[in-house]
Amino acid sequence: MEKYFAIDMPFWRFARNTLIVSCLGLFPFLLLFILRTPGFGAHLLNGGPALSRFLRQVITNGLPVVFAVNYLSFFLYAAGNASRSDGPVPMRLILIDMPARVVLFILLHAVIYFLSADWFGSFGGDHWQALTVVGPTLVRSALFENISGVYLYATLVGALPLYVSVMQSQSAHGRGFAAKLMRRMPGRAGPIILALLMVALSVVVLTAAAAVIVLLQSASV
């Protein structure tokens, strides 16, 4: 991973690599979503408006969101690797990534939905309607009940290298509570287990943030 995401890499190459990884992470979840939605695959195979709307949704909504969130995580991953000579990769990178990815994921959905009302006439062309569906949509995404769930889990492709890198470095050289906890775990599974738990926590935080948005919208009505 360090070969493909380095802090001194030209922007275009870093962005290209992020785009490739984002597509590789996105397509399997898209396929899974299509297969687990009854009749959806056959509907798309018929072509026509259904297929064009689906592709438009993925290209104008899914790919930009997944790319932007993954770019953030890969940048922090590269920054962490560059700081290894100064000591263990700091835990604060995860503390930066987690809230930043939540805000970015929600904000990009809101912006894209808002613009889609103009560009494609989505949500009946109503900007307010476009914004009001963001919260409910993202609450259900963690359960993989809509296509935003595809985008959510595809963004975790970028989180894993960062979280695992931080945890492995902390386990080997850190002195904090997390480092001591990982050393108590059997074998070398400690950093992986804690990284996965942190990734799961990021999904919970996003769902909670979306639920708060829904509550605030309900209170304002």
Side-chain angles (χ1 to χ4, degrees):
M1 287 293 294
E2 294 181 33
K3 176 182 177 182
Y4 301 105
F5 299 100
I7 202 70
D8 57 352
M9 182 177 290
F11 168 78
W12 69 267
R13 188 180 301 171
F14 197 103
R16 180 201 64 187
N17 293 345
T18 301
L19 180 61
I20 292 172
V21 174
S22 297
C23 289
L24 292 175
L26 183 61
F27 291 152
F29 287 110
L30 274 175
L31 181 60
L32 178 61
F33 177 75
I34 292 170
L35 292 177
R36 72 186 298 271
T37 305
F40 190 41
H43 194 50
L44 293 179
L45 287 175
N46 289 331
L51 179 60
S52 63
R53 283 195 296 267
F54 176 75
L55 293 176
R56 185 185 70 196
Q57 159 66 221
V58 173
I59 293 171
T60 63
N61 184 185
L63 193 54
V65 169
V66 175
F67 171 83
V69 176
N70 280 342
Y71 190 97
L72 166 71
S73 295
F74 285 135
F75 180 82
L76 292 174
Y77 168 80
N81 286 332
S83 69
R84 285 181 185 273
S85 59
D86 301 325
V89 179
M91 282 288 294
R92 68 173 177 271
L93 293 181
I94 292 179
L95 299 179
I96 293 171
D97 179 84
M98 191 178 297
R101 68 173 33 246
V102 169
V103 170
L104 195 56
F105 193 83
I106 294 174
L107 184 60
L108 285 175
H109 268 82
V111 170
I112 291 170
Y113 281 16
F114 185 90
L115 293 176
S116 294
D118 272 333
W119 294 347
F120 311 118
S122 304
F123 313 104
D126 187 334
H127 295 116
W128 175 245
Q129 178 66 24
L131 294 177
T132 57
V133 303
V134 172
T137 298
L138 298 188
V139 166
R140 295 168 51 216
S141 65
L143 301 177
F144 212 67
E145 293 182 354
N146 53 43
I147 198 168
S148 288
V150 172
Y151 309 150
L152 171 61
Y153 289 103
T155 62
L156 301 184
V157 172
L160 274 173
L162 170 64
Y163 289 24
V164 170
S165 174
V166 170
M167 293 305 176
Q168 287 178 336
S169 181
Q170 286 290 323
S171 177
H173 308 291
R175 298 180 180 179
F177 172 76
K180 294 176 182 178
L181 176 63
M182 286 183 285
R183 291 178 191 135
R184 291 178 178 271
M185 295 182 182
R188 299 182 179 179
I192 305 295
I193 293 173
L194 206 54
L196 290 174
L197 288 175
M198 294 299 289
V199 168
L201 180 60
S202 72
V203 175
V204 172
V205 171
L206 173 64
T207 304
V212 169
I213 292 173
V214 174
L215 290 175
L216 293 175
Q217 288 174 338
S218 300
S220 65
V221 173

